[in-house]
Amino acid sequence: YYFPCQRWLAVEEDDGQIVRELVPVDEAFVKKDSENDGQSLATLGLEQKAKSTTYTVKVKTGDKKNAGTDANVFITLYGNKDDTGIVSLKASKINKNKFERGKVDEFTVESVDIGDLKKIKIGHDNKGNSTGWFLEWVEIDAPSLGQCLKFPCGRWLDKSEDDGAIERIIFPAELQTTEYIPFVPYEITVYTSDIFGAGTDADVFIVLYGSDGVCTQQKSLCLNKREQRMYFERNSVNQFIVELEDVGDIIEKIRIGHKGGGLNSGWHLDRVAIRRLLPNGK
């Protein structure tokens, strides 16, 4: 699907709108920059990402005295086919200081398909000033499986508390598992125009609309501020593999925009191309 825009999404330009709804046009109307466009975009990283699954991992630190930890926390997800290997939980999407008392932190974990989630191992390296940690629970949302699983813990990971263990294997609570229709991967290619000031550092998001009023959630294309600074530069082509609700075989329109704010938020969008990927990453 090709969605031409060729307009500003900027408070100070055009009609001042920073969100636009675009409808698809026939491929013949879209100017081909070069025959090699497709090849140059099909980078190994994206090929890998198309075959991978994204998990949203939420971690709740207990509301007890000295419950928080400064140690480095890691997690391993085990499925019925494979496991993720050890993954460090470095950058919380919610809190600058992670694993503080009573707080929930959120992380993104990418992995090849490990199948149905069976258990997790979570622990820390016991390094830093206050290392002991009281872990309340872990929640893992796996959109490609259509499942959100809760792993209750309610125990210390502390050498001087409980049984002295600093890592634990936890199983999901079956009654707290939420099922929903699995998400599917879409390949979204965004073309920023080649005019002065066209690039943006703002948080760009997209919504896909299918027939019969079906639509996806609003999804940011960048994971963090660093990616926002890297992508959507003038005359650039950026490609994303995004797992979203399945809107069916027909995309009737999209809504794309940004949240404004910051120094360079105004954006001149040339066009967007979208492919719904089949399960084998094609």
Side-chain angles (χ1 to χ4, degrees):
Y1 289 88
Y2 294 92
F3 299 85
C5 180
Q6 295 168 351
R7 292 185 69 179
W8 283 101
L9 287 81
V11 175
E12 308 292 333
E13 303 279 354
D14 203 334
D15 58 0
Q17 297 299 312
I18 60 172
V19 179
R20 298 198 182 283
E21 293 198 344
L22 309 177
V23 294
V25 299
D26 192 281
E27 187 177 346
F29 288 106
V30 180
K31 66 177 193 295
K32 285 275 187 248
D33 287 347
S34 76
E35 289 304 311
N36 296 325
D37 239 7
Q39 276 69 44
S40 63
L41 291 171
T43 60
L44 184 62
L46 279 165
E47 288 297 313
Q48 294 287 358
K49 190 161 183 182
K51 294 185 174 78
S52 73
T53 299
T54 305
Y55 301 94
T56 297
V57 178
K58 289 185 177 174
V59 180
K60 170 75 187 288
T61 299
D63 191 5
K64 290 175 176 280
K65 188 179 178 187
N66 301 324
T69 185
D70 295 331
N72 298 301
V73 173
F74 54 83
I75 192 169
T76 305
L77 279 53
Y78 295 88
N80 62 347
K81 295 184 194 167
D82 203 350
D83 65 72
T84 59
I86 295 171
V87 178
S88 291
L89 298 180
K90 284 200 161 107
S92 171
K93 294 169 85 172
I94 301 174
N95 305 305
K96 197 166 185 182
N97 280 341
K98 53 192 188 291
F99 310 122
E100 295 287 303
R101 173 178 174 172
K103 294 283 175 60
V104 175
D105 290 289
E106 184 178 313
F107 305 87
T108 300
V109 173
E110 265 181 27
S111 160
V112 294
D113 180 19
I114 61 170
D116 293 336
L117 264 174
K118 295 297 181 189
K119 64 181 180 181
I120 62 172
K121 187 198 293 182
I122 188 164
H124 61 78
D125 63 2
N126 209 43
K127 289 182 178 164
N129 293 327
S130 50
T131 57
W133 184 35
F134 191 90
L135 171 62
E136 197 71 61
W137 49 256
V138 177
E139 183 183 275
I140 299 179
D141 192 5
S144 64
L145 300 175
Q147 280 190 331
C148 185
L149 298 100
K150 195 78 162 272
F151 296 80
C153 179
R155 293 183 70 177
W156 286 98
L157 285 79
D158 187 339
K159 288 200 163 175
S160 57
E161 297 277 355
D162 202 334
D163 60 358
I166 57 170
E167 64 176 44
R168 298 197 179 279
I169 290 173
I170 316 174
F171 295 88
E174 282 185 28
L175 294 175
Q176 291 178 282
T177 298
T178 311
E179 306 264 352
Y180 55 91
I181 296 168
F183 284 23
V184 296
Y186 290 90
E187 178 190 272
I188 299 173
T189 310
V190 180
Y191 298 78
T192 299
S193 305
D194 187 15
I195 62 175
F196 179 74
T200 184
D201 292 336
D203 185 3
V204 172
F205 61 81
I206 195 165
V207 182
L208 276 50
Y209 293 83
S211 50
D212 303 325
V214 179
C215 72
T216 68
Q217 63 184 314
Q218 181 172 301
K219 177 78 172 178
S220 291
L221 293 177
C222 293
L223 290 174
N224 49 45
K225 285 203 160 50
R226 184 181 66 82
E227 288 194 358
Q228 286 169 217
R229 289 193 295 272
M230 280 170 53
Y231 299 140
F232 313 119
E233 299 290 302
R234 173 179 174 173
N235 195 29
S236 67
V237 180
N238 300 118
Q239 200 169 53
F240 306 89
I241 307 290
V242 182
E243 285 177 341
L244 292 167
E245 294 91 341
D246 189 352
V247 298
D249 292 334
I250 296 168
I251 302 176
E252 293 205 333
K253 66 176 181 179
I254 63 171
R255 176 184 289 151
I256 188 164
H258 61 78
K259 296 176 182 174
L263 292 173
N264 308 310
S265 64
W267 183 36
H268 198 285
L269 171 63
D270 184 67
R271 67 190 192 274
V272 180
I274 297 179
R275 282 199 310 155
R276 182 169 174 260
L277 298 174
L278 300 174
N280 61 359
K282 289 285 192 310

